[in-house]
Amino acid sequence: MAKPYNSLSCLIITTFTLLQLIFPSQQVKITPPPLPILPLPNCAQLKWHQRELIMFFHFGVNTFTDREWGTGHENPAIFNPTRLDANQWVDTAVQAGVSLIILTAKHHDGFCLWPSKYTDHSVIRSPWKNGQGDVVQEFVNAAKARGVDVGLYLSPWDRHDKRYGNNKEYNEHYLAQLQELLNNYGDVKEIWFDGAKGSNAPNMTYYFDDWFAMVRELQSTINIFSDAGPGVRWVGNEDGFAGSTSWSTINRTLLSIGNSNADYLNSGDPKGTDWLPPECDVSIRKGWFWHKSQAPKNLSDLLEIYYKSVGRNCVLLLNVPPNKQGLISESDVQRLKEFRSAVDTIFSTNLATKCSIKASSKRGGKNGGFGPENVLDNDHLWTYWAPRDEDKDEHWIEFKAKDKPLRFNVVRIQEAIGLGQRIKGHEIYVDGMKIANGTTIGYKKLHRLEKGMLSGHSVRIKIIESRAIPLISSIGLHFDPFWNPNGQGDSGPF
């Protein structure tokens, strides 16, 4: 039984109540975030966006026949890498700043890099490790040891298997191999499907819906890549270039694997009902498999690809093929080191952090939490500048140099895509003069200025069209010493 209040307790309670009536507490009103604009990325897609650069390894019998598309009649005995070292592959990827690597577990020739129970056209008939080897397992083990995520490519077109062309039998066979890969090799973060096949290939209906359902059942955090997603879409070419307008949104009902409109894939759709961001696949060499006669692309080509993929709201999937020894060639390793060093050099310094900053308005007032200072922190998703809802005019954010003028040739803008992709048009001004304009931004937009380095005291970014109030998560002003369109030379940003 509770004790009755004594007189002192009653006095304290009465006094406290009177004080509350005389001096009511001031409730702090926290302004909530704005409503999202659908569709939204899921958790796996958000993580994918943040990777920016991932890597492909095309490896198989084509490596030893000097082909791009195998015939399916190759003798498995030709697959005999003398020094295969998946650790070297992963080291190469890590040095390039890559956090996800994808292996061609089976290409169109049907040769399997793992000992599949459903075919003997695999490593079990290779002299490599006396038929006891498993490239997929070595790949997964090397990645796991370095904290790198893995993806796998299992070609739907199989030029070796005699069941190909028989819809029921081949789909059962394909699903069986898919289950082997997704059950036996741990977490897989991306699975790659495509519609590639030769014009003379037998008619074949792939049961993609069945495949995708099985994938999701076996790996709940995976991204499924294809022309039509449902996790990540093809960009529509193999040059590594996205459209200058690049929406993460698209209508999947208008897509068909192997038959989708390349222009639609390339640009996406502002009215799209599905979040299906584009992945830009391109090889560091001319071919996808290693060929002795080919060399890696030069640094300027790789940087152009970077600006037109990562800089256009995409993830860049860069193929780096192992050679006949089973190693990444030294020329490719060195070019990747140059590439990573160049990207770090360009973006390691943000000149905007040395500026004062103001905006047309901000949501929630002085202490609302959505001020323009958020674009200079290290969170590029969940902190952002947001203008007031009631502002219908132009939205802008401006940086002003505190002393010496700013000298830069790259402008980086990022949206808070966790609440949807919004911006449809924007312009950039230096000291009141328009120096660049564009449409979409998405996760990241990079403007490499056509005229090269500019010098000015103020930089204003205007949002001129948007699906809802714009949410800018990050802005950077950078100097790229490798970009000298007018022969300016490397005079640096200072």
Side-chain angles (χ1 to χ4, degrees), residues 111 113 130 154 157 166 178 183 206 245 325 353 412 434:
F111 181 80
L113 293 182
N130 297 315
L154 185 67
W157 183 31
N166 184 308
L178 193 62
N183 271 326
Y206 302 134
T245 294
Q325 292 181 303
T353 60
R412 172 178 54 84
K434 185 165 71 173

Side-chain angles (χ1 to χ4, degrees), residues 217-233:
E217 179 182 359
L218 298 177
Q219 299 269 356
S220 61
T221 61
I222 202 168
N223 272 319
I224 299 173
F225 170 97
S226 79
D227 291 13
V232 179
R233 78 176 191 260

